[in-house]
Amino acid sequence: MEKNSISRLQDIIDESKRIVFFGGAGVSTESGIPDFRSVDGLYNQKYKYPPEYMLSHSFFVNHTEEFFDFYRDKMLCFSAKPNKAHIFLAELEKAGKLSAVITQNIDGLHQMAGSKKVYELHGSVHRNYCTNCGKFYDAHYIADANGIPKCEKCGSIVKPDVVLYEEGLDDGIMRKSIKAIQSADCMIIAGTSLVVYPAAGLIHYFNGKHLVLINKGQTGINTNAELVIAAPVGEVLSQIRISV
């Protein structure tokens, strides 16, 4: 990582007043949560079914017990703590420079670090609802259940409030994300390969001055970013000073 890249990022953040951060799985890898598409990622591990199918609505409906076995094993990570990237963003928001965090992650680490305005495009493992009566359950209820988690009130299946393959994103979250991006003067895209749509398409709504990309690997589309840094997100952001 070149010093002049960090220096340039420092200048961009210093002069920006409405920063939006758009993050993916790479933001949480430094917290010990594996990503999906890297060499050691979830999609390169061997299972009875492809992980994409095991995280689909069809699999949830047709192989419900196997879905929850996989979900508990790979999607729940209670030992994970916010890393330097999460903490930096929470501090940037407190300083009045960050307008919103838009995340593809479902781990809740941004909120754990103290971020207030977080738009979770793919939901959260910490919200779970009865598919019949809507009663709320936390992630530990799913983790501690034997087999398929059932509602204590009506006995129906309790489903994680995460967006599975074949399911659409929440319209309200999408609208808020688009509005934040359209009003931003700086957008930092980090820890994402930009291959998952429609989330990846959100960057096309950005018309501000500074577009920054921080990602260890190649991205799926050409962002025309002003600054590209190929390094871990937390390692990069921890070198930036926050000044109001």
Side-chain angles (χ1 to χ4, degrees), residues 34 40-52 54 59 69-70 73-75:
D40 298 320
L42 186 64
Y43 290 172
N44 287 311
Q45 298 177 28
K46 303 300 181 184
Y47 299 100
K48 182 179 178 181
Y49 303 98
E52 296 96 324
M54 298 178 80
F59 195 80
D69 288 343
F70 180 77
D73 186 39
K74 296 299 179 182
M75 297 292 107

Side-chain angles (χ1 to χ4, degrees), residues 84-96 98 101 110-116 242:
K84 293 176 181 178
H86 300 106
I87 293 168
F88 172 85
L89 293 167
E91 292 174 348
L92 195 64
E93 183 183 40
K94 287 178 185 176
L98 182 72
V101 168
H110 284 293
Q111 292 92 329
M112 197 181 299
S115 290
K116 303 300 182 185
I242 298 175

Side-chain angles (χ1 to χ4, degrees), residues 149-162:
K150 298 293 183 66
C151 178
E152 295 173 336
K153 184 178 178 182
C154 71
S156 296
I157 297 173
V158 176
K159 181 181 183 295
D161 184 21
V162 299

Side-chain angles (χ1 to χ4, degrees), residues 10 16 40 73 86 90 106 112 127 130 144 164 174 222 230 240:
Q10 181 73 66
S16 299
D40 298 320
D73 186 39
H86 300 106
I106 58 175
M112 197 181 299
R127 297 190 300 270
C130 172
D144 296 339
L164 303 176
M174 285 291 284
N222 180 15
I240 303 299

Side-chain angles (χ1 to χ4, degrees), residues 11 57 98 109 139:
D11 290 341
H57 181 80
L98 182 72
L109 292 179

